[in-house]
Structures are given as C-alpha cells and as structure tokens.
Amino acid sequence: MPVPVPRQRAIPAVECGQAPAASPDSGPSTEQAPPGTHPAENPASRRENPTEKREKPTDTSPETSTGPGTSTSPGPGTSTSPGPGTDTGTGTVRTPSGRTESAVPTNLTVLLIEDDPAGSPIVPDLLDQSGKPIRVRTARNLTEAGRLLTDDVHCILLDLALSAPAPARTATATDVGGGGNGAAEGEDELAVLRHVLELAPRHAVLALTSSSDAERGAEAVAVGAQDYLFRDELDGRLLSRAIRYAVERKRSDSAERRLAEGRLRAQENRRLERGLLPTPLLAGSPLRFAARYRPGRSRALLGGDFYDVVRTPDGTVHAMIGDVCGHGPDEAALGVELRIAWRALTLAGLCGDQLLGTLQQVLEHERSDDEIFATLCAVDISPDGRRAGLCLAGHPSPLLSRPGVPARLLPYDNNGPALGLLPGARWPRTQVELGAEWSLMLYTDGLIEGHVGGGRERLGQDGMVELVRRQLAEGLTGEELLRATVNEVHELNGGELADDLAVVLLDRTA
C-alpha cells in the first residue's frame, strides 16, 4: 500500500528569518537577518514567545554566572525556551503556537504527545528508511493532540507519564468524610493510552515509559499499543526503526482484521443465500428431482434465476423456473420474493393464468425500477404423471425426452409476455401429453446463450437440444445428465458464463 505524502506546512517568512519579527515590547522591529543566517542565530528570531511564557512556569531563582558573558537566567531579548521559527535540535521547527513540525518534506509523520514540549526534547533526530527526516508534531495534551491528529499522521508517540483527562465526579458522603482516596487508588494508569486509542483507532501507537517501569509498557501493548520504548534510552536509529515497525504492524493488523471481517461477512452471506435456495416439497410423489444452479456474479451463491417444485395435497406436482432481468443482488432478492410468492400461491390453490397474474402484481410492487421484468415457465403435472399443463411468460419452452423418441421442445405457440411488461396480460395454459416414462427439463436462458467456440455464435435452443440428445444416448440421467450438460456448455463457452444458469430435471419411470 503506498504511503500517503502529507501536505507541507508553509512556514511564514518571519519564522524562517527572511522577514523582520515584531517585538511584543518595543513595537515593530526594523532588524532583519543577514542572508544565509540561521534563524536561531538571528537576534530578532530569538524573541520570547508570550504565549509560551504564559504556559511555562517562570524561573524566579537569582542569576548565576557560569562563565564569562554567560548566564543561566534569561537576559533582555533572550529566552530559555525556543521562540518562533527556532530549531529545536530534533530536525523540527517550533511554530508560533508552540507546535513542533519538520521543515523538510518527509514520507512519515509522527505525533508526539508529551506533557512538556517546550522543555528538553525526548525525541532525537529521526530518519525514515530512505534517509529522509521524519516529520514530528508535538502536542502538550490530548485536546491539542486531537487537533493535530490529521490523516497524514502515521504514528503516535505517547508519553505514558502524561496526565489523563479527569472524568467528571460527583461528591459522595465518603469524599466529604475524608475517605475519598478510593478513586485515586483505583485510577487506571493506562487511561491516557485508552483515550488515545479511542481517539485514533487507525493509527499506530508507540508507548514511552521509564526503564524502571517495563511492566507498564508491557501492559500498554496488551491494551492496544504496537510497542513500547524506554524514554531514557532513546536514540535516533532505535526510535526510527520502532516507528517504521509500528506503522507496518498497524497496517498488517488492520489488513488482517478487514480480511477476517470480510470472511465473516462472506460466510454469513453464504449461509443466508444457501437458506434462500429452495427445498423441493415432493413427499409422496414418484417423480425424481435434480437441479443445477450457478449464479453469474463472481463468488455469489444466489442470482436472478429462481426455481421451485411443490406437491399439493391432491397429488399434483407443480414446477416452476424463472429469470429476473439483471445480475445484481437486487435482482437476486427479487427472484427470491417471486419464488416464495409462487409457492404460497400454489399451496393456496392458484394455478395457471390466475397465479401468474397475481405474481405479476407482486413483481410490480417489489421491483426497484419499472423496467425490471421476469420470465417464467410453470408446469403442473397431473397426479397420475401422464399429463401436464404448461404456462410460459416470455420463457424458453421445456425439453421433453422419452424412451425411443428424440428429445424435443414442448410447444411454445401460446407463450405469453414476461411478467411486468403488460398490465392486465393473460397467460394461456397448454395441455401436454407426457406418457408413462419421461424426463422433463426446465432451464433458464443462461444455458442457451453461451457462445460456441471463440466466435460470436451462441449455442441456442437447437444446439442445447442436440447436446442433451447426445448425453442421453450415452445413458446419462438425473444428476449425471445435468452435470455433463452444464459442464459441456461451459467448455463450449470457453469459461464461466456471463448469465445466471438454472436447470431443473423431473423424471418419471414406469
């Protein structure tokens, strides 16, 4: 994954020693830095920052001389704390607001959260793997850290000695009586770390602690930090390596978590889709059932094709197969709704034109767009298994095969319109003689719209009929017939089919 390059902060001219700095005491200054002078050497840039002076405790000790011309207390026009635009010695620049940022374009950005950023820096010079300086931002507290925590920050250096924000407490009788030290005893030593992890769940965190408190550092890692380091044993190479390691480990952990979440969602989706596939209700029927189903969507279990088979109390076996136009999850959901509606209407006693008219009403209410339609083939087989009624709604006609007779398509002259196209449409029912022993194959257009070879020619219904006749001549029946047919269609297409595919086979033996 490429590392985002942070936007560079434009340093005002007054910070980089190229413009005069205004003195808070003597008004506008006319003093200007000579060309090539480092900002730290420019007297104008060493003016004391009033903001930092207010935030940092003032030293009231008497002046002590340490040598000729030197003093430990600040003299006129000088300050012990870095002023605006002053190099802190860590490859960073102190801004007028007291924040510390690198003045050199870098690849990695680090946010340092410590309680005294105006004092001696605890972070040495840092270089990334390519030798470029690592940008360091410094925050005094968690409130300021929240403002500095932008998307270009890759790692957070957290001083565990930082005071955690005090939660609001309500005085109790125990507190009033002088026994309120229970809260202090039960105070969470890693509360500041927990707050940072909640504030920045996607950022790597390095905990800084003292060498005498290694146990606290280990607890920080257990809570969620990527690693811990001893504050008093830091050096540039160690810290740079630790930062790079923490960033990569956080990326790896995030990627692993996303992968696990994706796998869990995929498993849940598969269980859901598998539960939405039909379970034939053929108890008490002599007919044998087989089906093959392959959605066109990659890694999906459910597509826009749907089918179902049920036996009603009078012994009639009803079979249905349909296809919703489109290949997305919305089409798959609509297909499930139509299948469930068909089963409910069939068990309620509806059949033929009445059933399809009601099913069209369901589609019109449930579809997300008025242009969505569905084709459907419905067959009702008499209790003796010798006759069947056929209703087609813009769908390919089933294939009937009998012993000693070549397989053929059932009549499709009375094919009505697809569901959802014409309000008030009618679907005539055609009576078909099946015989004593037969096989009836219902299929969607995914089986016949595959290509043949590398050209643009499609298999079509005629090609599918010839293919099935050849499979039957080899003695294949039931599941073996469907498996061989679907596999050969895939081979002829040169790979996966673009459309959903569903095939249902009903057999009756004498």
Side-chain angles (χ1 to χ4, degrees), residues 11-304:
I11 301 177
V14 67
E15 296 186 28
C16 58
Q18 297 178 359
S23 170
D25 301 326
S26 58
S29 173
T30 59
E31 189 172 0
Q32 196 168 8
T37 305
H38 192 278
E41 301 174 1
N42 181 13
S45 67
R46 291 198 299 268
R47 300 289 185 182
E48 186 173 25
N49 189 338
T51 303
E52 293 185 359
K53 184 176 181 180
R54 287 195 302 269
E55 294 179 353
K56 184 179 179 182
T58 304
D59 187 0
T60 57
S61 59
E63 182 176 331
T64 305
S65 175
T66 58
T70 59
S71 174
T72 58
S73 65
T78 62
S79 172
T80 57
S81 63
T86 304
D87 194 332
T88 62
T90 64
T92 60
V93 171
R94 183 78 60 187
T95 66
S97 63
R99 293 185 289 192
T100 305
E101 292 192 5
S102 172
V104 184
T106 62
N107 287 330
L108 287 178
T109 301
V110 173
L111 176 60
L112 171 63
I113 308 177
E114 57 168 329
D115 57 353
D116 188 15
S120 300
I122 64 173
V123 177
D125 293 336
L126 301 177
L127 299 177
D128 63 12
Q129 199 166 6
S130 60
K132 295 181 180 180
I134 294 178
R135 189 182 188 92
V136 179
R137 298 177 183 173
T138 306
R140 294 179 175 87
N141 49 52
L142 296 180
T143 302
E144 186 173 354
R147 294 195 300 268
L148 296 178
L149 189 62
T150 54
D151 291 338
D152 59 343
V153 173
H154 300 89
C155 183
I156 298 174
L157 296 180
L158 176 63
D159 189 355
L160 295 182
L162 185 71
S163 299
R169 296 180 64 248
T170 303
T172 62
T174 306
D175 296 333
V176 175
N181 60 349
E185 293 177 359
E187 182 180 356
D188 186 2
E189 294 183 350
L190 298 177
V192 62
L193 174 60
R194 301 181 193 276
H195 188 88
V196 169
L197 292 175
E198 182 179 352
L199 182 68
R202 297 188 302 271
H203 293 74
V205 177
L206 274 176
L208 302 178
T209 185
S210 63
S211 57
S212 60
D213 200 3
E215 183 177 353
R216 190 179 184 187
E219 292 175 355
V221 174
V223 168
Q226 271 59 57
D227 203 351
Y228 72 93
L229 297 172
F230 296 138
R231 189 187 309 108
D232 46 356
E233 296 180 5
L234 290 180
D235 62 73
R237 292 185 59 187
L238 172 64
L239 185 54
S240 299
R241 186 169 61 249
I243 290 174
R244 294 196 302 269
Y245 167 77
V247 170
E248 295 304 323
R249 180 177 176 182
K250 183 64 176 181
R251 288 175 179 170
S252 176
D253 292 345
S254 299
E256 186 176 354
R257 184 179 65 255
R258 288 193 298 268
L259 181 61
E261 293 174 352
R263 287 174 176 170
L264 180 60
R265 284 195 299 269
Q267 292 175 0
E268 293 174 349
N269 291 339
R270 287 179 179 274
R271 285 197 296 267
L272 177 62
E273 292 180 342
R274 191 175 293 111
L276 294 176
L277 291 174
T279 301
L281 300 180
L282 286 174
S285 173
L287 302 183
R288 295 185 304 174
F289 168 84
R292 301 289 288 181
Y293 190 93
R294 289 192 182 183
R297 292 184 296 136
S298 176
R299 299 183 181 180
L301 290 179
L302 200 62

